[in-house]
Amino acid sequence: MSKLTHFNEQGRAKMVDVSHKEETVRVAIAKSSIIVNEEIYNQIAEGTNKKGDVFAVAQIAAVMAAKNTATIIPMCHPLPLTGIDVQFDWFIDRETNHFEILIQSEVKTKGFTGVEMEALTAASAAALTIYDMCKAVGKEMIIGQTMLMKKTGGKNGDYER
Amino acid sequence: MSKLTHFNEQGRAKMVDVSHKEETVRVAIAKSSIIVNEEIYNQIAEGTNKKGDVFAVAQIAAVMAAKNTATIIPMCHPLPLTGIDVQFDWFIDRETNHFEILIQSEVKTKGFTGVEMEALTAASAAALTIYDMCKAVGKEMIIGQTMLMKKTGGKNGDYER
Amino acid sequence: MSKLTHFNEQGRAKMVDVSHKEETVRVAIAKSSIIVNEEIYNQIAEGTNKKGDVFAVAQIAAVMAAKNTATIIPMCHPLPLTGIDVQFDWFIDRETNHFEILIQSEVKTKGFTGVEMEALTAASAAALTIYDMCKAVGKEMIIGQTMLMKKTGGKNGDYER
Amino acid sequence: MSKLTHFNEQGRAKMVDVSHKEETVRVAIAKSSIIVNEEIYNQIAEGTNKKGDVFAVAQIAAVMAAKNTATIIPMCHPLPLTGIDVQFDWFIDRETNHFEILIQSEVKTKGFTGVEMEALTAASAAALTIYDMCKAVGKEMIIGQTMLMKKTGGKNGDYER
Amino acid sequence: MSKLTHFNEQGRAKMVDVSHKEETVRVAIAKSSIIVNEEIYNQIAEGTNKKGDVFAVAQIAAVMAAKNTATIIPMCHPLPLTGIDVQFDWFIDRETNHFEILIQSEVKTKGFTGVEMEALTAASAAALTIYDMCKAVGKEMIIGQTMLMKKTGGKNGDYER
Amino acid sequence: MSKLTHFNEQGRAKMVDVSHKEETVRVAIAKSSIIVNEEIYNQIAEGTNKKGDVFAVAQIAAVMAAKNTATIIPMCHPLPLTGIDVQFDWFIDRETNHFEILIQSEVKTKGFTGVEMEALTAASAAALTIYDMCKAVGKEMIIGQTMLMKKTGGKNGDYER
């Protein structure tokens, strides 16, 4: 029976022992999104084409947050990340006036445990940063669902949503 | 006309000058959520009633992330936070087998600018930490929409969703 | 003749070169304690049994401090920790009105050098956090002796107090 | 009746709201110590007189840890520290072969709440750093009792041990 | 007679007490530069005009380093920065095949002490980041002289180079 | 043809994938300097001989900055550093009244990629710290050229300036 592994016999949080696990290449892909209004869409789109690229700031925030994951998530293992990338796309439905930035992060390590948390944290940091860069124009933006899309490496088997 | 204030005349990101703004009490409330499966629901609920409290870890992660916001969000001003609280509730619909943890964060400062990003970052960190604590039981959890609910203080007027 | 290895030929601090050392599993156990008054004892004990668990916060502080050791201790090597656990016990002598929380930390790595500092830092952070959580009730708490109890792994031989 | 203020109505940790408190000059003094063997005493004493000053490293670790306190102690308020100093003295009793380094830290702020935790964290970091610098010579060192000595400023009254 | 203020009566580093100083708006401007070869010049210039903007990354590194100054410079006071901006220009002399990126940082606070270190640290971080982004093309880049250009605010008088 | 490797196909910064690279011992040596006036020279020189050692603080700042490089330089890989050392020398020309502190840093790792950025960051942090320690005596100090001197390890071949 599976159980919450992050608790010790006193019922308090611990960082699970992974000393016995194999150091292998592990990859995780996560996604998030942020729904903006048309005015913000226009201003980001212009900035991306010319200068003032909101996504450039969000990208860097994501990369730095991925490296910083073990200090943000209390029971997360520190891992020597070997690669981080983040991609942005627009999903636009002009009929419903829907403007949504799709965020996808991919994180790699060669380490003792997976990098799901690093990928999720990167995607969240990107979304939060876009919010911060655009909040002077409107605070009603909504950060969309954030989830793990894929995970490979490690003996527990791969995962794909 | 409103515009993205975070860019300088060279079109690159800057941290906006707020030296002229007044130091006042400011409050922001944000929310997020995480959808889990029934097994995770059962294990969290048991832990909360007895010991092994997932929410205790998430709460602390949220408080620490709020304090850490200016190092996570690149153009965010460092602010001396004066109060942080996070609350958790369950939204359960057994007909559709829906188990969702509702997260609400509230952050206060007495400073030159608002604490929207701190509240949003706290809520996100809580959701990510719950994911981390429960991912051994199932990786299909989904972090739900994350958004600002309310903001008071500062001369730009209050905001309520 | 043994000597302080942390100094270079100019007599200033350096981080000792461990490139030649073997990457092996290393474990360290440290302990600390904190002496509280009866009122604090009662309030912690109630919280632990019901809710408001001081030890849950101290536990998380200890885990995060262990991961953060190389940024707290200047000449300490950064190490990819693979496991961290902290345990609490009460030592109570009602005759002398003595209420003491015993803290034991255990840290593991698979790395080039030992984790004594991580275990000691974790135990200290737990004690400091308990002080912080209880200082509104009384500031006369005393953090007791902090020491290394055991160390295994590495070619210099094991240590047990 | 006093109670643990760091818990919210859900019984989980929060960072207490201090927005209403007055921003005043506040000072805290804490002490710790570390008991070493004669060989370590000799090597530190030589280094201090010539070069290779263990206390110089411990001093800096203490200052940086004081500034870093709100990231080490989960519910501690971030404060703009305005002054930090650390002093070292030897307590030596050659009859009992007792060599102990006495550490005293003093921290100042002009802020909403006190700096007890900053002073205690500084003293602990100094002791831990001395341990780290000397552990190649002997691991049996013991960090002595750590406690608050004095606190001034704020409306709750001063404290002196 | 002026003297090094950062040392206490034991001759060890302290963070100077500024509790008595006035909280005023303070500004500092610093500059640095980095000399690159023609190939790097071409690649950066192309990237800036189209996409892949090296300066965007350097800008963000500078802003984050400014906020992080008190954790990089041991005796530096933590300050609530209220504005940070960085500008880049090319100084090119094709006769001598000289391609140099000029970096200027400007940092503001409303605080107890000046922000010279924050401006200098921002400029250095920008230069280091440009080096990092371009080092695959050639490692012979040289970071040029880094210095304070101007400082206003505070009772010690303004400074202009 | 060589190109800037730090950009993805969307033209934004990424942390380059090094999972396929070999984990080998890698060393990098960098240098920087800081030009001071005669008064500062005298005060540092006295302090070094007696007490109040500016270089001791700079050394520690350099070691800690090297460990912290991946959080300062956005696209830099986190690496488990195995050794860090910094040396200081004076270059003095009394005819031209020139007083310059020469800084040399050496950093080692056993990792997937080189430590050029760690060595450069260490040297810069040392220079910035000396500036901070002496700025009360005079703000016209100039941080001299900062550059990589040597690099060994890794399959791209060694580099020596």
Side-chain angles (χ1 to χ4, degrees):
Chain A
M1 185 196 137
S2 59
K3 60 177 213 284
L4 301 180
T5 53
H6 276 305
F7 292 100
N8 64 17
E9 62 266 41
Q10 292 197 337
R12 292 196 192 86
K14 66 172 178 179
M15 197 175 86
V16 179
D17 185 1
V18 297
S19 319
H20 58 286
K21 293 175 77 176
E22 215 182 334
E23 214 169 349
T24 60
V25 173
R26 294 155 191 268
V27 184
I29 296 173
K31 74 169 195 189
S32 186
S33 79
I34 182 163
I35 301 160
V36 303
N37 65 25
E38 189 170 2
E39 187 182 359
I40 293 174
Y41 164 72
N42 287 331
Q43 297 195 3
I44 293 179
E46 273 176 47
T48 302
N49 295 333
K50 290 199 216 133
K51 54 184 191 169
D53 185 357
V54 168
F55 295 166
V57 186
Q59 178 105 335
I60 294 166
V63 169
M64 296 186 89
K67 292 193 278 187
N68 210 18
T69 301
T71 68
I72 300 173
I73 311 298
M75 298 301 138
C76 192
H77 293 82
L79 287 172
L81 304 185
T82 52
I84 310 169
D85 196 8
V86 184
Q87 306 272 341
F88 300 93
D89 278 298
W90 281 103
F91 170 70
I92 296 170
D93 181 347
R94 289 198 178 268
E95 300 223 349
T96 60
N97 222 29
H98 183 92
F99 300 89
E100 184 167 4
I101 300 160
L102 308 179
I103 300 163
Q104 183 174 296
S105 62
E106 179 172 352
V107 177
K108 276 194 189 179
T109 193
K110 193 170 173 185
F112 294 108
T113 184
V115 282
E116 298 96 305
M117 293 319 302
E118 283 76 3
L120 286 162
T121 301
S124 293
L128 288 165
T129 299
I130 294 171
Y131 190 99
D132 181 47
M133 300 295 291
C134 301
K135 70 180 193 292
V137 184
K139 297 188 195 313
E140 72 278 8
M141 284 170 283
I142 291 175
I143 296 176
Q145 293 188 330
T146 304
M147 66 192 85
L148 184 68
M149 297 310 289
K150 194 176 171 179
K151 163 194 184 301
T152 60
K155 78 166 211 288
N156 288 331
D158 296 348
Y159 170 84
E160 186 149 11
R161 189 172 293 270
Chain B
M1 184 196 139
S2 60
K3 62 177 212 283
L4 302 180
T5 52
H6 275 306
F7 292 100
N8 64 16
E9 61 266 43
Q10 291 196 338
R12 292 196 192 85
K14 66 171 177 179
M15 197 175 86
V16 179
D17 185 2
V18 297
S19 319
H20 58 286
K21 293 175 79 175
E22 215 182 334
E23 215 168 349
T24 60
V25 173
R26 294 154 192 268
V27 184
I29 296 174
K31 74 168 194 189
S32 186
S33 79
I34 181 164
I35 301 160
V36 303
N37 64 26
E38 189 170 1
E39 188 182 0
I40 292 175
Y41 163 72
N42 287 331
Q43 297 196 2
I44 293 179
E46 274 177 47
T48 302
N49 295 333
K50 291 202 216 129
K51 54 184 191 168
D53 185 357
V54 168
F55 295 166
V57 186
Q59 177 105 334
I60 295 166
V63 170
M64 296 187 89
K67 292 193 278 187
N68 211 18
T69 301
T71 68
I72 300 173
I73 311 296
M75 298 302 138
C76 191
H77 294 83
L79 287 173
L81 304 185
T82 52
I84 310 169
D85 196 7
V86 184
Q87 306 272 342
F88 300 92
D89 279 297
W90 281 102
F91 170 70
I92 296 171
D93 181 346
R94 290 199 179 268
E95 301 223 347
T96 60
N97 222 29
H98 183 93
F99 301 89
E100 184 166 5
I101 300 160
L102 308 178
I103 301 162
Q104 183 173 295
S105 61
E106 179 173 353
V107 178
K108 275 195 190 177
T109 194
K110 194 169 173 186
F112 295 109
T113 185
V115 282
E116 299 97 304
M117 294 318 303
E118 282 77 4
L120 287 162
T121 301
S124 293
L128 289 165
T129 299
I130 294 171
Y131 190 100
D132 182 47
M133 299 295 289
C134 301
K135 71 180 194 293
V137 184
K139 298 188 195 312
E140 72 279 8
M141 284 170 284
I142 291 176
I143 296 175
Q145 293 189 331
T146 305
M147 65 191 86
L148 184 68
M149 297 310 289
K150 194 176 172 180
K151 164 194 183 301
T152 61
K155 79 166 210 289
N156 288 331
D158 295 348
Y159 169 84
E160 186 148 13
R161 188 172 293 270
Chain C
M1 184 194 139
S2 60
K3 62 176 212 283
L4 301 180
T5 53
H6 276 305
F7 291 100
N8 65 17
E9 61 265 45
Q10 292 197 336
R12 292 197 193 85
K14 66 174 177 178
M15 196 175 86
V16 179
D17 185 3
V18 297
S19 318
H20 57 286
K21 292 174 77 175
E22 215 181 334
E23 215 169 350
T24 59
V25 173
R26 293 155 191 268
V27 183
I29 296 174
K31 73 168 195 190
S32 185
S33 79
I34 181 164
I35 301 159
V36 303
N37 64 26
E38 187 169 2
E39 187 182 0
I40 293 175
Y41 164 71
N42 287 331
Q43 296 196 5
I44 293 179
E46 273 177 46
T48 302
N49 295 333
K50 290 200 215 131
K51 53 184 192 168
D53 185 357
V54 168
F55 295 165
V57 186
Q59 176 106 334
I60 294 167
V63 169
M64 296 187 89
K67 293 193 279 186
N68 211 17
T69 301
T71 69
I72 299 174
I73 312 298
M75 298 302 139
C76 190
H77 294 82
L79 287 173
L81 304 185
T82 52
I84 310 169
D85 196 8
V86 184
Q87 306 271 342
F88 300 93
D89 279 298
W90 281 102
F91 170 71
I92 296 171
D93 181 348
R94 290 199 178 268
E95 301 223 348
T96 59
N97 222 28
H98 183 92
F99 301 89
E100 183 166 6
I101 301 161
L102 309 179
I103 301 164
Q104 182 174 293
S105 61
E106 179 172 352
V107 177
K108 275 194 189 178
T109 193
K110 193 170 171 184
F112 295 109
T113 184
V115 283
E116 297 97 304
M117 293 319 302
E118 284 76 5
L120 287 162
T121 301
S124 293
L128 289 165
T129 298
I130 293 171
Y131 189 100
D132 182 48
M133 300 295 290
C134 301
K135 70 180 193 291
V137 184
K139 297 190 195 310
E140 72 280 7
M141 284 169 285
I142 292 177
I143 296 176
Q145 294 189 330
T146 305
M147 65 191 87
L148 183 68
M149 297 310 288
K150 193 176 171 179
K151 164 194 183 301
T152 61
K155 78 165 210 293
N156 288 332
D158 296 347
Y159 169 85
E160 187 149 10
R161 189 173 292 271
Chain D
M1 182 195 140
S2 60
K3 62 176 210 286
L4 302 180
T5 52
H6 275 305
F7 291 100
N8 65 16
E9 61 265 43
Q10 292 197 337
R12 292 197 192 85
K14 66 172 177 179
M15 197 175 87
V16 179
D17 185 2
V18 296
S19 319
H20 57 286
K21 292 175 78 175
E22 215 181 335
E23 214 169 349
T24 59
V25 173
R26 294 155 191 269
V27 184
I29 296 174
K31 74 168 195 190
S32 185
S33 78
I34 181 164
I35 301 160
V36 303
N37 64 26
E38 188 169 2
E39 187 182 0
I40 293 175
Y41 164 70
N42 287 331
Q43 297 196 3
I44 292 179
E46 274 176 46
T48 301
N49 295 333
K50 291 201 215 131
K51 55 184 191 167
D53 185 357
V54 167
F55 295 165
V57 186
Q59 176 106 334
I60 295 167
V63 169
M64 297 187 88
K67 294 194 278 186
N68 211 18
T69 301
T71 69
I72 299 173
I73 311 298
M75 297 303 140
C76 190
H77 294 84
L79 287 173
L81 304 185
T82 52
I84 310 169
D85 195 9
V86 184
Q87 306 271 342
F88 299 93
D89 279 297
W90 282 102
F91 170 71
I92 296 171
D93 181 348
R94 289 198 179 268
E95 301 223 347
T96 61
N97 222 29
H98 183 93
F99 301 89
E100 184 166 5
I101 300 161
L102 308 179
I103 301 164
Q104 182 173 297
S105 62
E106 178 172 353
V107 177
K108 275 194 190 178
T109 193
K110 193 170 171 184
F112 296 109
T113 185
V115 283
E116 298 97 304
M117 294 318 303
E118 284 77 3
L120 286 162
T121 302
S124 292
L128 289 165
T129 298
I130 294 171
Y131 190 100
D132 182 48
M133 300 296 290
C134 302
K135 70 181 194 291
V137 184
K139 297 189 196 310
E140 73 278 7
M141 283 169 284
I142 291 177
I143 296 176
Q145 293 190 331
T146 304
M147 65 191 87
L148 184 68
M149 297 310 289
K150 193 175 173 180
K151 164 192 182 303
T152 61
K155 78 167 210 288
N156 288 332
D158 296 348
Y159 170 84
E160 186 149 12
R161 187 174 294 270
Chain E
M1 183 195 140
S2 60
K3 63 177 210 283
L4 302 180
T5 53
H6 275 307
F7 292 100
N8 64 17
E9 61 267 43
Q10 292 197 336
R12 294 198 191 83
K14 66 172 177 178
M15 197 176 86
V16 180
D17 185 1
V18 297
S19 318
H20 58 284
K21 293 175 77 175
E22 215 181 335
E23 215 169 350
T24 60
V25 173
R26 294 156 191 266
V27 184
I29 296 174
K31 74 169 195 189
S32 186
S33 79
I34 181 164
I35 300 160
V36 302
N37 64 25
E38 189 169 2
E39 188 181 359
I40 293 175
Y41 163 70
N42 287 331
Q43 296 195 6
I44 293 179
E46 273 176 48
T48 302
N49 295 333
K50 290 199 216 132
K51 54 184 191 167
D53 185 357
V54 167
F55 295 165
V57 186
Q59 176 106 335
I60 294 166
V63 169
M64 297 186 88
K67 293 193 279 186
N68 211 18
T69 301
T71 68
I72 300 173
I73 311 299
M75 297 302 138
C76 190
H77 293 83
L79 287 173
L81 304 185
T82 52
I84 310 169
D85 196 8
V86 185
Q87 306 272 342
F88 300 93
D89 279 298
W90 281 103
F91 170 71
I92 295 170
D93 182 347
R94 289 199 179 268
E95 300 224 347
T96 59
N97 222 29
H98 183 93
F99 301 89
E100 185 166 5
I101 300 161
L102 308 179
I103 301 164
Q104 182 173 296
S105 62
E106 179 172 352
V107 177
K108 275 194 191 179
T109 194
K110 193 170 172 185
F112 294 109
T113 184
V115 283
E116 299 97 303
M117 293 320 302
E118 283 77 4
L120 286 162
T121 301
S124 293
L128 289 166
T129 299
I130 294 171
Y131 190 100
D132 182 47
M133 300 295 290
C134 302
K135 71 180 191 292
V137 184
K139 296 188 196 311
E140 72 278 10
M141 285 170 282
I142 292 176
I143 295 176
Q145 293 189 331
T146 304
M147 65 191 86
L148 183 68
M149 297 310 289
K150 193 176 171 179
K151 164 193 182 302
T152 61
K155 78 165 211 290
N156 288 332
D158 296 347
Y159 169 84
E160 186 149 12
R161 188 174 293 271
Chain F
M1 184 194 137
S2 61
K3 61 177 212 284
L4 302 179
T5 52
H6 275 306
F7 292 100
N8 64 16
E9 62 265 44
Q10 292 196 337
R12 292 196 193 86
K14 66 172 177 179
M15 197 176 85
V16 180
D17 185 1
V18 297
S19 319
H20 58 284
K21 293 175 77 175
E22 216 182 333
E23 215 169 347
T24 59
V25 173
R26 295 156 190 268
V27 183
I29 296 173
K31 73 168 195 189
S32 186
S33 79
I34 182 164
I35 301 160
V36 303
N37 64 26
E38 188 169 1
E39 187 182 359
I40 293 175
Y41 164 71
N42 287 332
Q43 297 195 3
I44 293 179
E46 273 176 49
T48 302
N49 295 334
K50 289 201 216 132
K51 54 184 191 167
D53 185 356
V54 168
F55 295 165
V57 186
Q59 176 105 333
I60 294 167
V63 169
M64 296 187 88
K67 293 194 278 186
N68 211 17
T69 301
T71 69
I72 300 173
I73 311 298
M75 298 302 139
C76 190
H77 295 83
L79 287 173
L81 304 185
T82 51
I84 310 170
D85 195 9
V86 184
Q87 306 270 343
F88 300 93
D89 280 297
W90 281 102
F91 170 71
I92 296 171
D93 181 347
R94 289 198 178 269
E95 301 223 347
T96 60
N97 222 29
H98 183 93
F99 301 89
E100 184 166 5
I101 301 160
L102 309 179
I103 301 162
Q104 183 173 295
S105 61
E106 178 172 353
V107 177
K108 276 195 189 178
T109 193
K110 193 170 173 185
F112 295 109
T113 184
V115 282
E116 298 96 306
M117 294 318 303
E118 283 76 4
L120 286 161
T121 301
S124 293
L128 289 165
T129 298
I130 294 171
Y131 189 100
D132 182 47
M133 300 295 291
C134 302
K135 70 181 193 293
V137 184
K139 297 187 195 312
E140 72 280 8
M141 284 169 283
I142 292 177
I143 296 176
Q145 293 189 330
T146 304
M147 65 191 87
L148 183 68
M149 297 310 288
K150 192 174 173 182
K151 164 194 183 301
T152 60
K155 79 166 210 288
N156 288 332
D158 296 348
Y159 169 84
E160 185 149 11
R161 188 173 294 269

